[in-house]
Amino acid sequence: MKSYVFISGAAGGLGKAFAAECASRGWNLFLTDVSAGDLSILTSGLVRLYNVEIIYYPCNLTDPASRDELWKIIQQRNLRFHFLINVAGVDFEGPFIERTSAELGTIIRLNIESTVDMTSRALHFRDKTRMLRIINVSSLAGYYPMPVKAIYAASKRFLLDFSLALHHELAESGVTVTVLCPAGMPTTPSAISGIFAQGFMGRITTKNVGYVAAKTIDRALSGRMVYIPGVINRILRFLGGTVPPSLVAYFIGKRWLKIRHKYNGEILKGV
Amino acid sequence: MTVLPKTVVITGATSGIGLATARSLAAQGVNIIGAGRSQSRCVEAEALIRAETPAARVNYFVADLASQRQVRALGSAIRELIQREFGGKLDVLINNAAAVSDWYVATEDGYEMQFAVNHLAGFLLTYELLPLLEMSACARVITVSSGSHYHTRMHWQDLMYRKHYFCLSAYKQSKLANLLFTREFNRRLADVSNIRAYAVDPGLVNTEIGAKGTGGLIQWFWNIRSRSGISPAEAAKTIVYLTAIPDIPQKEAVYWKECRPVEPSQYSKRADAAARLWEISEQLCGIVYTP
């Protein structure tokens, strides 16, 4: 029986990098994202490049009915998975007071609810002849309370704790859970300008998505629990762990607000 | 006596060398079909050329060449325009558009941006416009390469530099790919068609290319370095020179700089590398060139 690598958020920057990495290893893929058009274009590109089998189905992961439909298709086609990579996630950056209730709900539904749901369902559709590797995408932000990214960081904290717990819970049943905690990912023009806005710190903490995807797959295959890409990020994480969370939140808040002011100022000046 | 072509397509024609080439050719009565990524810059470029040369026939199309879908759509829009207004003949295609990116960015097709824009887009657009080029008595495909193509080789094991991306390595490889494409195009098509391909080294030009997708050190370095460069208009002279019809001396020469043939890198002359890149490019674009 053929088994597949399940990737959610596959048409985004990190999703595409995971898809390319898995395809380059000769694995067959099952991709999902919101837009069928994006998935179709990506699928033909990757099939031409790597000559693997790729199935895609669009799904709005924030909508339980859409998720039901996705898993119904998987059941009908009798698909089995040996890898689940939960990439789909979202942030609406900016002060909490400026966020609408719909935006806050979307962060929670996509980052938390859908990841939990996908993980739970995938366990019932695993290829029982192989190990099941689960990768959840948390963030370095998951380690700290982060002013200006409060809900996002808290949702990533949820994914971090959820993954660590599940890793131990499922250890005996041939399932490994690896949680990826990257710093900023240069995936979109706005993410890239965000990294530039952070200046030197932004540059040294940022790693290329292709590299991150490849290393994360290696870590998952060796059963590692957490992967933080980049030595500097691992040092930051270590230092952050030695300071009380409230103090970290204080410093991060000061820094983000400063960057935001500088960045917004530049936009206003038209630089 | 040399005669200029009637109709020319130029990609990346809203700034830098592409715009300078379009302005220069338009002033000499050549029909210009330009392509650019930004709607507003296309409008500005078209207005600029019309202001300089009121009689010019200029058409700009918006297309993001990182997307194969948009390259195909651009090809079909140009075909339709040329059939309708320019007698179904294209004399010169200038593959000038190029991108630089500090980070590994995957296009919608899942390919690395610089490889997609700097090499694959030109490969695919040339294929799309081949029927029109074949109608011209003496057609040219001119690809803007660069001196960056020296001292590098094709990174076959990971053409997209996905795992170990470095901006400059990916850029250098894409410029080498321009030369390999040009050489293989001539090997396959120059004898059986009326089309000949050339690659151009514009030299160090004062454009924004090195500062577009970059920041920090690379941007700083480019800003300092490009100040000592020649103007885009100066760089466009070699391209304009190569478009001239009926013929140029030493027409067999592939690589041109300052209106003279120059010696490209040894690697760029490797027939096996050129053939291999051609096959991979056909595969990645889902096409087969048949003369």
Side-chain angles (χ1 to χ4, degrees), chain A residues 12-45:
Chain A
L14 186 57
K16 281 188 282 195
F18 270 118
E21 176 60 29
C22 294
S24 78
R25 294 176 188 240
W27 296 338
N28 300 318
L29 310 180
F30 181 90
L31 308 179
T32 187
D33 206 303
V34 187
S35 153
D38 290 355
L39 287 169
S40 151
I41 291 166
L42 177 65
T43 296
S44 11

PDB file of all heavy atoms in Angstrom, chain A residues 12-45:
ATOM      1  N   GLY A  12       1.958  27.790   1.325  1.00  0.00           N
ATOM      2  CA  GLY A  12       2.706  28.897   1.929  1.00  0.00           C
ATOM      3  C   GLY A  12       4.201  28.657   1.794  1.00  0.00           C
ATOM      4  O   GLY A  12       4.635  27.605   1.311  1.00  0.00           O
ATOM      5  N   GLY A  13       4.995  29.620   2.252  1.00  0.00           N
ATOM      6  CA  GLY A  13       6.447  29.534   2.078  1.00  0.00           C
ATOM      7  C   GLY A  13       7.057  28.300   2.718  1.00  0.00           C
ATOM      8  O   GLY A  13       7.767  27.531   2.072  1.00  0.00           O
ATOM      9  N   LEU A  14       6.769  28.081   3.993  1.00  0.00           N
ATOM     10  CA  LEU A  14       7.347  26.925   4.681  1.00  0.00           C
ATOM     11  C   LEU A  14       6.721  25.623   4.180  1.00  0.00           C
ATOM     12  O   LEU A  14       7.406  24.605   4.040  1.00  0.00           O
ATOM     13  CB  LEU A  14       7.142  27.082   6.201  1.00  0.00           C
ATOM     14  CG  LEU A  14       7.807  26.046   7.099  1.00  0.00           C
ATOM     15  CD1 LEU A  14       9.315  25.990   6.858  1.00  0.00           C
ATOM     16  CD2 LEU A  14       7.531  26.351   8.579  1.00  0.00           C
ATOM     17  N   GLY A  15       5.423  25.659   3.885  1.00  0.00           N
ATOM     18  CA  GLY A  15       4.732  24.481   3.347  1.00  0.00           C
ATOM     19  C   GLY A  15       5.350  24.017   2.035  1.00  0.00           C
ATOM     20  O   GLY A  15       5.604  22.823   1.833  1.00  0.00           O
ATOM     21  N   LYS A  16       5.640  24.989   1.148  1.00  0.00           N
ATOM     22  CA  LYS A  16       6.256  24.642  -0.140  1.00  0.00           C
ATOM     23  C   LYS A  16       7.631  24.020   0.079  1.00  0.00           C
ATOM     24  O   LYS A  16       8.014  23.075  -0.610  1.00  0.00           O
ATOM     25  CB  LYS A  16       6.395  25.902  -1.008  1.00  0.00           C
ATOM     26  CG  LYS A  16       5.112  26.305  -1.688  1.00  0.00           C
ATOM     27  CD  LYS A  16       5.335  27.440  -2.697  1.00  0.00           C
ATOM     28  CE  LYS A  16       5.472  28.767  -2.007  1.00  0.00           C
ATOM     29  NZ  LYS A  16       5.323  29.915  -2.940  1.00  0.00           N
ATOM     30  N   ALA A  17       8.357  24.567   1.056  1.00  0.00           N
ATOM     31  CA  ALA A  17       9.699  24.041   1.326  1.00  0.00           C
ATOM     32  C   ALA A  17       9.621  22.608   1.859  1.00  0.00           C
ATOM     33  O   ALA A  17      10.416  21.745   1.472  1.00  0.00           O
ATOM     34  CB  ALA A  17      10.434  24.945   2.313  1.00  0.00           C
ATOM     35  N   PHE A  18       8.659  22.336   2.734  1.00  0.00           N
ATOM     36  CA  PHE A  18       8.473  20.962   3.222  1.00  0.00           C
ATOM     37  C   PHE A  18       8.057  20.036   2.077  1.00  0.00           C
ATOM     38  O   PHE A  18       8.543  18.906   1.966  1.00  0.00           O
ATOM     39  CB  PHE A  18       7.412  20.917   4.333  1.00  0.00           C
ATOM     40  CG  PHE A  18       7.983  21.103   5.713  1.00  0.00           C
ATOM     41  CD1 PHE A  18       7.606  22.178   6.506  1.00  0.00           C
ATOM     42  CD2 PHE A  18       8.884  20.186   6.237  1.00  0.00           C
ATOM     43  CE1 PHE A  18       8.122  22.350   7.785  1.00  0.00           C
ATOM     44  CE2 PHE A  18       9.407  20.343   7.518  1.00  0.00           C
ATOM     45  CZ  PHE A  18       9.020  21.434   8.287  1.00  0.00           C
ATOM     46  N   ALA A  19       7.136  20.521   1.231  1.00  0.00           N
ATOM     47  CA  ALA A  19       6.668  19.700   0.120  1.00  0.00           C
ATOM     48  C   ALA A  19       7.833  19.341  -0.799  1.00  0.00           C
ATOM     49  O   ALA A  19       8.010  18.179  -1.186  1.00  0.00           O
ATOM     50  CB  ALA A  19       5.573  20.435  -0.647  1.00  0.00           C
ATOM     51  N   ALA A  20       8.674  20.351  -1.119  1.00  0.00           N
ATOM     52  CA  ALA A  20       9.811  20.107  -2.004  1.00  0.00           C
ATOM     53  C   ALA A  20      10.794  19.139  -1.344  1.00  0.00           C
ATOM     54  O   ALA A  20      11.310  18.220  -1.993  1.00  0.00           O
ATOM     55  CB  ALA A  20      10.507  21.423  -2.343  1.00  0.00           C
ATOM     56  N   GLU A  21      11.056  19.319  -0.051  1.00  0.00           N
ATOM     57  CA  GLU A  21      11.997  18.452   0.654  1.00  0.00           C
ATOM     58  C   GLU A  21      11.517  16.997   0.635  1.00  0.00           C
ATOM     59  O   GLU A  21      12.275  16.073   0.343  1.00  0.00           O
ATOM     60  CB  GLU A  21      12.186  18.939   2.095  1.00  0.00           C
ATOM     61  CG  GLU A  21      13.066  18.063   2.961  1.00  0.00           C
ATOM     62  CD  GLU A  21      14.485  17.906   2.429  1.00  0.00           C
ATOM     63  OE1 GLU A  21      14.973  18.832   1.752  1.00  0.00           O
ATOM     64  OE2 GLU A  21      15.094  16.836   2.676  1.00  0.00           O
ATOM     65  N   CYS A  22      10.228  16.786   0.958  1.00  0.00           N
ATOM     66  CA  CYS A  22       9.690  15.424   1.005  1.00  0.00           C
ATOM     67  C   CYS A  22       9.669  14.807  -0.391  1.00  0.00           C
ATOM     68  O   CYS A  22       9.999  13.633  -0.564  1.00  0.00           O
ATOM     69  CB  CYS A  22       8.298  15.421   1.622  1.00  0.00           C
ATOM     70  SG  CYS A  22       8.315  15.894   3.357  1.00  0.00           S
ATOM     71  N   ALA A  23       9.284  15.612  -1.389  1.00  0.00           N
ATOM     72  CA  ALA A  23       9.257  15.096  -2.761  1.00  0.00           C
ATOM     73  C   ALA A  23      10.666  14.726  -3.211  1.00  0.00           C
ATOM     74  O   ALA A  23      10.869  13.724  -3.903  1.00  0.00           O
ATOM     75  CB  ALA A  23       8.639  16.124  -3.694  1.00  0.00           C
ATOM     76  N   SER A  24      11.669  15.531  -2.769  1.00  0.00           N
ATOM     77  CA  SER A  24      13.047  15.242  -3.184  1.00  0.00           C
ATOM     78  C   SER A  24      13.542  13.932  -2.573  1.00  0.00           C
ATOM     79  O   SER A  24      14.494  13.334  -3.049  1.00  0.00           O
ATOM     80  CB  SER A  24      13.985  16.392  -2.802  1.00  0.00           C
ATOM     81  OG  SER A  24      14.299  16.331  -1.421  1.00  0.00           O
ATOM     82  N   ARG A  25      12.873  13.488  -1.506  1.00  0.00           N
ATOM     83  CA  ARG A  25      13.232  12.191  -0.910  1.00  0.00           C
ATOM     84  C   ARG A  25      12.431  11.058  -1.540  1.00  0.00           C
ATOM     85  O   ARG A  25      12.478   9.919  -1.066  1.00  0.00           O
ATOM     86  CB  ARG A  25      12.978  12.226   0.599  1.00  0.00           C
ATOM     87  CG  ARG A  25      13.910  13.197   1.321  1.00  0.00           C
ATOM     88  CD  ARG A  25      13.591  13.293   2.798  1.00  0.00           C
ATOM     89  NE  ARG A  25      14.365  14.364   3.435  1.00  0.00           N
ATOM     90  CZ  ARG A  25      15.230  14.171   4.448  1.00  0.00           C
ATOM     91  NH1 ARG A  25      15.422  12.957   4.929  1.00  0.00           N
ATOM     92  NH2 ARG A  25      15.876  15.180   4.968  1.00  0.00           N
ATOM     93  N   GLY A  26      11.640  11.396  -2.556  1.00  0.00           N
ATOM     94  CA  GLY A  26      10.892  10.366  -3.279  1.00  0.00           C
ATOM     95  C   GLY A  26       9.593   9.963  -2.602  1.00  0.00           C
ATOM     96  O   GLY A  26       8.991   8.950  -2.972  1.00  0.00           O
ATOM     97  N   TRP A  27       9.152  10.741  -1.630  1.00  0.00           N
ATOM     98  CA  TRP A  27       7.917  10.398  -0.938  1.00  0.00           C
ATOM     99  C   TRP A  27       6.697  10.953  -1.685  1.00  0.00           C
ATOM    100  O   TRP A  27       6.760  12.030  -2.280  1.00  0.00           O
ATOM    101  CB  TRP A  27       7.928  10.981   0.485  1.00  0.00           C
ATOM    102  CG  TRP A  27       8.999  10.399   1.358  1.00  0.00           C
ATOM    103  CD1 TRP A  27       9.635   9.208   1.191  1.00  0.00           C
ATOM    104  CD2 TRP A  27       9.577  11.007   2.521  1.00  0.00           C
ATOM    105  NE1 TRP A  27      10.575   9.025   2.176  1.00  0.00           N
ATOM    106  CE2 TRP A  27      10.561  10.114   3.009  1.00  0.00           C
ATOM    107  CE3 TRP A  27       9.370  12.205   3.191  1.00  0.00           C
ATOM    108  CZ2 TRP A  27      11.330  10.382   4.132  1.00  0.00           C
ATOM    109  CZ3 TRP A  27      10.134  12.478   4.318  1.00  0.00           C
ATOM    110  CH2 TRP A  27      11.100  11.577   4.785  1.00  0.00           C
ATOM    111  N   ASN A  28       5.588  10.245  -1.626  1.00  0.00           N
ATOM    112  CA  ASN A  28       4.352  10.738  -2.221  1.00  0.00           C
ATOM    113  C   ASN A  28       3.673  11.700  -1.249  1.00  0.00           C
ATOM    114  O   ASN A  28       3.753  11.516  -0.038  1.00  0.00           O
ATOM    115  CB  ASN A  28       3.421   9.576  -2.556  1.00  0.00           C
ATOM    116  CG  ASN A  28       4.071   8.628  -3.546  1.00  0.00           C
ATOM    117  OD1 ASN A  28       4.700   9.065  -4.505  1.00  0.00           O
ATOM    118  ND2 ASN A  28       3.945   7.335  -3.298  1.00  0.00           N
ATOM    119  N   LEU A  29       2.989  12.691  -1.809  1.00  0.00           N
ATOM    120  CA  LEU A  29       2.463  13.757  -0.953  1.00  0.00           C
ATOM    121  C   LEU A  29       0.943  13.887  -1.026  1.00  0.00           C
ATOM    122  O   LEU A  29       0.335  13.640  -2.067  1.00  0.00           O
ATOM    123  CB  LEU A  29       3.049  15.117  -1.351  1.00  0.00           C
ATOM    124  CG  LEU A  29       4.560  15.237  -1.515  1.00  0.00           C
ATOM    125  CD1 LEU A  29       4.922  16.666  -1.916  1.00  0.00           C
ATOM    126  CD2 LEU A  29       5.282  14.861  -0.229  1.00  0.00           C
ATOM    127  N   PHE A  30       0.372  14.279   0.107  1.00  0.00           N
ATOM    128  CA  PHE A  30      -1.008  14.739   0.144  1.00  0.00           C
ATOM    129  C   PHE A  30      -0.969  16.172   0.669  1.00  0.00           C
ATOM    130  O   PHE A  30      -0.559  16.400   1.805  1.00  0.00           O
ATOM    131  CB  PHE A  30      -1.863  13.856   1.053  1.00  0.00           C
ATOM    132  CG  PHE A  30      -3.302  14.294   1.099  1.00  0.00           C
ATOM    133  CD1 PHE A  30      -4.222  13.777   0.193  1.00  0.00           C
ATOM    134  CD2 PHE A  30      -3.731  15.241   2.020  1.00  0.00           C
ATOM    135  CE1 PHE A  30      -5.547  14.193   0.211  1.00  0.00           C
ATOM    136  CE2 PHE A  30      -5.055  15.670   2.041  1.00  0.00           C
ATOM    137  CZ  PHE A  30      -5.966  15.142   1.135  1.00  0.00           C
ATOM    138  N   LEU A  31      -1.395  17.121  -0.182  1.00  0.00           N
ATOM    139  CA  LEU A  31      -1.267  18.530   0.192  1.00  0.00           C
ATOM    140  C   LEU A  31      -2.631  19.169   0.410  1.00  0.00           C
ATOM    141  O   LEU A  31      -3.580  18.885  -0.317  1.00  0.00           O
ATOM    142  CB  LEU A  31      -0.565  19.313  -0.921  1.00  0.00           C
ATOM    143  CG  LEU A  31       0.765  18.771  -1.435  1.00  0.00           C
ATOM    144  CD1 LEU A  31       1.298  19.661  -2.552  1.00  0.00           C
ATOM    145  CD2 LEU A  31       1.798  18.669  -0.308  1.00  0.00           C
ATOM    146  N   THR A  32      -2.708  20.029   1.407  1.00  0.00           N
ATOM    147  CA  THR A  32      -3.919  20.824   1.547  1.00  0.00           C
ATOM    148  C   THR A  32      -3.566  22.271   1.875  1.00  0.00           C
ATOM    149  O   THR A  32      -2.513  22.565   2.442  1.00  0.00           O
ATOM    150  CB  THR A  32      -4.899  20.229   2.583  1.00  0.00           C
ATOM    151  OG1 THR A  32      -6.118  20.984   2.516  1.00  0.00           O
ATOM    152  CG2 THR A  32      -4.364  20.306   3.992  1.00  0.00           C
ATOM    153  N   ASP A  33      -4.458  23.155   1.439  1.00  0.00           N
ATOM    154  CA  ASP A  33      -4.359  24.592   1.714  1.00  0.00           C
ATOM    155  C   ASP A  33      -5.710  25.172   1.330  1.00  0.00           C
ATOM    156  O   ASP A  33      -6.585  24.432   0.886  1.00  0.00           O
ATOM    157  CB  ASP A  33      -3.228  25.237   0.889  1.00  0.00           C
ATOM    158  CG  ASP A  33      -2.686  26.488   1.587  1.00  0.00           C
ATOM    159  OD1 ASP A  33      -3.492  27.390   1.858  1.00  0.00           O
ATOM    160  OD2 ASP A  33      -1.488  26.545   1.882  1.00  0.00           O
ATOM    161  N   VAL A  34      -5.862  26.478   1.471  1.00  0.00           N
ATOM    162  CA  VAL A  34      -7.185  27.060   1.202  1.00  0.00           C
ATOM    163  C   VAL A  34      -7.525  27.055  -0.287  1.00  0.00           C
ATOM    164  O   VAL A  34      -8.636  26.723  -0.680  1.00  0.00           O
ATOM    165  CB  VAL A  34      -7.261  28.523   1.714  1.00  0.00           C
ATOM    166  CG1 VAL A  34      -8.662  29.066   1.584  1.00  0.00           C
ATOM    167  CG2 VAL A  34      -6.806  28.588   3.158  1.00  0.00           C
ATOM    168  N   SER A  35      -6.558  27.410  -1.127  1.00  0.00           N
ATOM    169  CA  SER A  35      -6.874  27.622  -2.532  1.00  0.00           C
ATOM    170  C   SER A  35      -6.540  26.414  -3.404  1.00  0.00           C
ATOM    171  O   SER A  35      -5.398  25.957  -3.468  1.00  0.00           O
ATOM    172  CB  SER A  35      -6.100  28.852  -3.025  1.00  0.00           C
ATOM    173  OG  SER A  35      -5.861  28.765  -4.399  1.00  0.00           O
ATOM    174  N   ALA A  36      -7.558  25.913  -4.106  1.00  0.00           N
ATOM    175  CA  ALA A  36      -7.357  24.777  -5.012  1.00  0.00           C
ATOM    176  C   ALA A  36      -6.427  25.181  -6.160  1.00  0.00           C
ATOM    177  O   ALA A  36      -5.605  24.382  -6.613  1.00  0.00           O
ATOM    178  CB  ALA A  36      -8.690  24.305  -5.570  1.00  0.00           C
ATOM    179  N   GLY A  37      -6.551  26.447  -6.596  1.00  0.00           N
ATOM    180  CA  GLY A  37      -5.715  26.927  -7.697  1.00  0.00           C
ATOM    181  C   GLY A  37      -4.232  26.883  -7.334  1.00  0.00           C
ATOM    182  O   GLY A  37      -3.412  26.360  -8.089  1.00  0.00           O
ATOM    183  N   ASP A  38      -3.903  27.401  -6.150  1.00  0.00           N
ATOM    184  CA  ASP A  38      -2.501  27.395  -5.698  1.00  0.00           C
ATOM    185  C   ASP A  38      -1.972  25.968  -5.588  1.00  0.00           C
ATOM    186  O   ASP A  38      -0.842  25.677  -5.974  1.00  0.00           O
ATOM    187  CB  ASP A  38      -2.382  28.062  -4.315  1.00  0.00           C
ATOM    188  CG  ASP A  38      -2.625  29.565  -4.389  1.00  0.00           C
ATOM    189  OD1 ASP A  38      -2.781  30.088  -5.513  1.00  0.00           O
ATOM    190  OD2 ASP A  38      -2.699  30.203  -3.322  1.00  0.00           O
ATOM    191  N   LEU A  39      -2.814  25.074  -5.040  1.00  0.00           N
ATOM    192  CA  LEU A  39      -2.377  23.681  -4.852  1.00  0.00           C
ATOM    193  C   LEU A  39      -2.130  23.009  -6.194  1.00  0.00           C
ATOM    194  O   LEU A  39      -1.177  22.236  -6.352  1.00  0.00           O
ATOM    195  CB  LEU A  39      -3.438  22.901  -4.070  1.00  0.00           C
ATOM    196  CG  LEU A  39      -3.539  23.241  -2.578  1.00  0.00           C
ATOM    197  CD1 LEU A  39      -4.796  22.596  -1.986  1.00  0.00           C
ATOM    198  CD2 LEU A  39      -2.307  22.763  -1.830  1.00  0.00           C
ATOM    199  N   SER A  40      -2.999  23.313  -7.157  1.00  0.00           N
ATOM    200  CA  SER A  40      -2.875  22.689  -8.460  1.00  0.00           C
ATOM    201  C   SER A  40      -1.577  23.127  -9.157  1.00  0.00           C
ATOM    202  O   SER A  40      -0.846  22.308  -9.724  1.00  0.00           O
ATOM    203  CB  SER A  40      -4.117  23.050  -9.286  1.00  0.00           C
ATOM    204  OG  SER A  40      -3.804  23.079 -10.643  1.00  0.00           O
ATOM    205  N   ILE A  41      -1.269  24.431  -9.067  1.00  0.00           N
ATOM    206  CA  ILE A  41      -0.040  24.955  -9.693  1.00  0.00           C
ATOM    207  C   ILE A  41       1.198  24.356  -9.025  1.00  0.00           C
ATOM    208  O   ILE A  41       2.117  23.873  -9.689  1.00  0.00           O
ATOM    209  CB  ILE A  41      -0.007  26.493  -9.594  1.00  0.00           C
ATOM    210  CG1 ILE A  41      -1.094  27.095 -10.486  1.00  0.00           C
ATOM    211  CG2 ILE A  41       1.361  27.036  -9.978  1.00  0.00           C
ATOM    212  CD1 ILE A  41      -1.381  28.555 -10.213  1.00  0.00           C
ATOM    213  N   LEU A  42       1.180  24.353  -7.690  1.00  0.00           N
ATOM    214  CA  LEU A  42       2.328  23.809  -6.949  1.00  0.00           C
ATOM    215  C   LEU A  42       2.521  22.327  -7.265  1.00  0.00           C
ATOM    216  O   LEU A  42       3.639  21.857  -7.474  1.00  0.00           O
ATOM    217  CB  LEU A  42       2.107  24.016  -5.446  1.00  0.00           C
ATOM    218  CG  LEU A  42       3.192  23.444  -4.539  1.00  0.00           C
ATOM    219  CD1 LEU A  42       4.523  24.157  -4.769  1.00  0.00           C
ATOM    220  CD2 LEU A  42       2.794  23.547  -3.070  1.00  0.00           C
ATOM    221  N   THR A  43       1.400  21.598  -7.299  1.00  0.00           N
ATOM    222  CA  THR A  43       1.472  20.164  -7.578  1.00  0.00           C
ATOM    223  C   THR A  43       2.108  19.904  -8.936  1.00  0.00           C
ATOM    224  O   THR A  43       3.027  19.090  -9.049  1.00  0.00           O
ATOM    225  CB  THR A  43       0.064  19.538  -7.496  1.00  0.00           C
ATOM    226  OG1 THR A  43      -0.405  19.678  -6.163  1.00  0.00           O
ATOM    227  CG2 THR A  43       0.087  18.073  -7.875  1.00  0.00           C
ATOM    228  N   SER A  44       1.667  20.627  -9.984  1.00  0.00           N
ATOM    229  CA  SER A  44       2.280  20.334 -11.290  1.00  0.00           C
ATOM    230  C   SER A  44       3.755  20.698 -11.292  1.00  0.00           C
ATOM    231  O   SER A  44       4.563  19.976 -11.882  1.00  0.00           O
ATOM    232  CB  SER A  44       1.563  21.003 -12.470  1.00  0.00           C
ATOM    233  OG  SER A  44       0.635  21.934 -12.049  1.00  0.00           O
ATOM    234  N   GLY A  45       4.110  21.794 -10.615  1.00  0.00           N
ATOM    235  CA  GLY A  45       5.523  22.170 -10.557  1.00  0.00           C
ATOM    236  C   GLY A  45       6.362  21.095  -9.885  1.00  0.00           C
ATOM    237  O   GLY A  45       7.414  20.698 -10.386  1.00  0.00           O
TER     238      GLY A  45
END
